[in-house]
Amino acid sequence: MVNDVRKRQRDPKTYRRAATYVLIVNAAAALAFAVAAIWTANRSACADADTLLCDTGAKTAMLVVPTAILLLGGIGAFVETYREWRRGQAWPIWQGAGWFLFMVMVVYLGIGGSTVAR
């Protein structure tokens, strides 16, 4: 029984899938951040402003869009955790991926929220 549990927690194929998933979600959030930054920088409402985050729309876009991608990615990882668990596979790998994405989301919210609050 103990060997079976250890075997389920060490699956290189599942680890690669989960790591690839995490990288794709993080890349999508970074891309969304870049697109939101370009959008806010090129808006006519912020053309004369000294700062990139000149109004509520810019602040919201910079904070909410990447956060939503990370949140949905974390939820997706937890859904995959449940599916792996139901199949009797290496579910702790996907659970770790979900918690990692949630941690990145909270750190982003902490840094972005303090910037937006100013």
Side-chain angles (χ1 to χ4, degrees), residues 42-114:
N42 292 325
R43 292 178 50 224
S44 61
C46 295
D48 298 330
D50 293 335
T51 180
L52 180 68
L53 302 175
C54 69
D55 63 356
T56 305
K59 291 177 181 180
T60 303
M62 292 293 286
L63 190 62
V64 172
V65 175
T67 300
I69 291 171
L70 291 168
L71 175 66
L72 293 174
I75 291 171
F78 285 126
V79 167
E80 188 61 27
T81 299
Y82 177 72
R83 293 173 62 196
E84 290 283 320
W85 173 75
R86 294 284 294 175
R87 290 189 295 249
Q89 300 296 321
W91 62 269
I93 296 169
W94 280 99
Q95 186 180 29
W99 284 118
F100 179 78
L101 288 170
F102 274 14
M103 186 246 346
V104 171
M105 179 191 67
V106 168
V107 168
Y108 181 78
L109 274 175
I111 293 169
S114 66

Side-chain angles (χ1 to χ4, degrees), residues 1-76:
M1 177 70 175
V2 172
N3 254 350
D4 185 42
V5 171
R6 287 185 186 156
K7 183 178 176 185
R8 282 187 292 162
Q9 293 179 358
R10 298 175 193 214
D11 185 7
K13 182 179 175 185
T14 301
Y15 178 78
R16 277 191 300 275
R17 281 183 37 235
T20 302
Y21 179 81
V22 167
L23 288 174
I24 289 170
V25 170
N26 280 323
L31 180 65
F33 175 82
V35 168
I38 292 168
W39 175 75
T40 58
N42 292 325
R43 292 178 50 224
S44 61
C46 295
D48 298 330
D50 293 335
T51 180
L52 180 68
L53 302 175
C54 69
D55 63 356
T56 305
K59 291 177 181 180
T60 303
M62 292 293 286
L63 190 62
V64 172
V65 175
T67 300
I69 291 171
L70 291 168
L71 175 66
L72 293 174
I75 291 171

